[in-house]
Amino acid sequence: MKIHKEGRRILFVTLLILLALNLLMFYFNKGNVLVNRLFAGATVIIFLLILQFFRSPFRHMFTHEDLLLAPADGKVVVIENVFEPEYFEDERKQISIFMSPINVHVTRNPISGLVKYFKYHPGNYLVAWHPKSSTQNERTTVVVESDAGPLVLFRQIAGAMARRIVWYVNEGDEVSQGEEFGFIKFGSRVDVFVPLDAEVKVELGQKVKGGETVICQLKV
């Protein structure tokens, strides 16, 4: 287990602020030891909650050119055929993973290949399960030409708590399955779009681990 680089500055600043607040409490409220201790305990809990947002556990990953790995930790909330309007402009199979506040927020490449398309979209912060979050929230869209051949689209989507999406890929990059392609601070959902003939390997409500759980198999 390690702390992700995206959280180090936030954690450092948070620690300084909480320490300063505790020093002020103990200085101006010397006579009320119980209240001071309760306040100190509350700040420790706050810091630990923020700390767990930025944990980055080690994962035992494998690579296979026609298998897609989960791009994030969380729960499968959508498996359906939908019209994908941004890049494919046709019907695709969508698999969506919801990341709760207690999940790891690292996002990983579901498959190896060449990045054919990338775009960042500023937007709103609707709750991640809102039907319009995929098209109206802050998000990124990545399309990879997989080593197996088919194109795969995956999308980071911010939620009600998330206010910052980070990405590490650009058009023309070669990406490797399981490696980090980004981070969603404090949330919240990743959508994957695959060809209609892809075989889904997960079920609605199933909990998955990014970089470990196989979510579908491409037809090649």
Side-chain angles (χ1 to χ4, degrees):
M1 180 74 69
K2 64 179 181 179
I3 302 302
H4 196 275
K5 62 183 180 181
E6 298 297 342
R8 292 168 191 165
R9 182 176 179 181
I10 291 174
L11 289 167
F12 180 70
V13 172
T14 301
L15 182 61
L16 290 180
I17 292 172
L18 294 178
L19 284 173
L21 290 174
N22 274 280
L23 289 173
L24 289 171
M25 279 291 292
F26 278 86
Y27 181 78
F28 290 107
N29 196 33
K30 296 177 181 178
N32 201 330
V33 177
L34 178 60
V35 172
N36 290 343
R37 288 178 177 175
L38 290 173
F39 183 81
T43 58
V44 169
I45 292 172
I46 291 170
F47 183 77
L48 291 176
L49 287 173
I50 297 173
L51 179 67
Q52 66 89 31
F53 285 136
F54 294 103
R55 68 194 191 280
S56 182
F58 175 77
R59 291 290 159 85
H60 297 281
M61 292 175 285
F62 67 95
T63 59
H64 200 291
E65 65 178 15
D66 66 340
L67 297 178
L68 264 72
L69 300 182
D73 287 23
K75 183 170 70 172
V76 178
V77 294
V78 174
I79 301 174
E80 62 182 5
N81 295 346
V82 299
F83 181 81
E84 198 294 303
E86 180 178 349
Y87 183 83
F88 294 117
E89 298 183 339
D90 64 11
E91 196 171 55
R92 297 278 152 161
K93 188 168 290 183
Q94 176 182 339
I95 305 169
S96 297
I97 298 168
F98 172 71
M99 306 157 67
S100 78
I102 63 172
N103 287 128
V104 173
H105 294 146
V106 176
T107 52
R108 301 179 182 274
N109 297 305
I111 201 157
S112 298
L114 178 68
V115 178
K116 303 291 288 185
Y117 173 85
F118 174 85
K119 188 170 184 179
Y120 167 74
H121 303 267
N124 299 321
Y125 298 98
L126 302 172
V127 291
W129 54 85
H130 194 287
K132 294 184 178 180
S133 65
S134 292
T135 56
Q136 294 188 9
N137 278 17
E138 180 191 8
R139 62 200 182 278
T140 64
T141 301
V142 183
V143 178
V144 170
E145 183 179 22
S146 67
D147 289 344
L151 294 172
V152 175
L153 184 153
F154 41 101
R155 182 175 288 137
Q156 297 169 298
I157 302 171
M161 290 181 64
R163 287 293 186 273
R164 178 91 168 97
I165 289 179
V166 181
W167 61 90
Y168 313 130
V169 297
N170 293 289
E171 285 186 24
D173 288 352
E174 289 278 354
V175 296
S176 297
Q177 189 175 51
E179 289 186 353
E180 295 182 16
F181 81 85
F183 195 95
I184 309 178
K185 295 185 178 180
F186 303 109
S188 79
R189 178 170 150 181
V190 181
D191 292 346
V192 180
F193 295 83
V194 294
L196 294 176
D197 60 359
E199 182 182 355
V200 177
K201 299 290 188 179
V202 290
E203 299 177 347
L204 281 175
Q206 180 177 335
K207 293 182 180 179
V208 298
K209 285 189 174 184
E212 286 190 355
T213 307
V214 175
I215 59 171
C216 80
Q217 182 171 16
L218 301 174
K219 298 295 183 182
V220 296

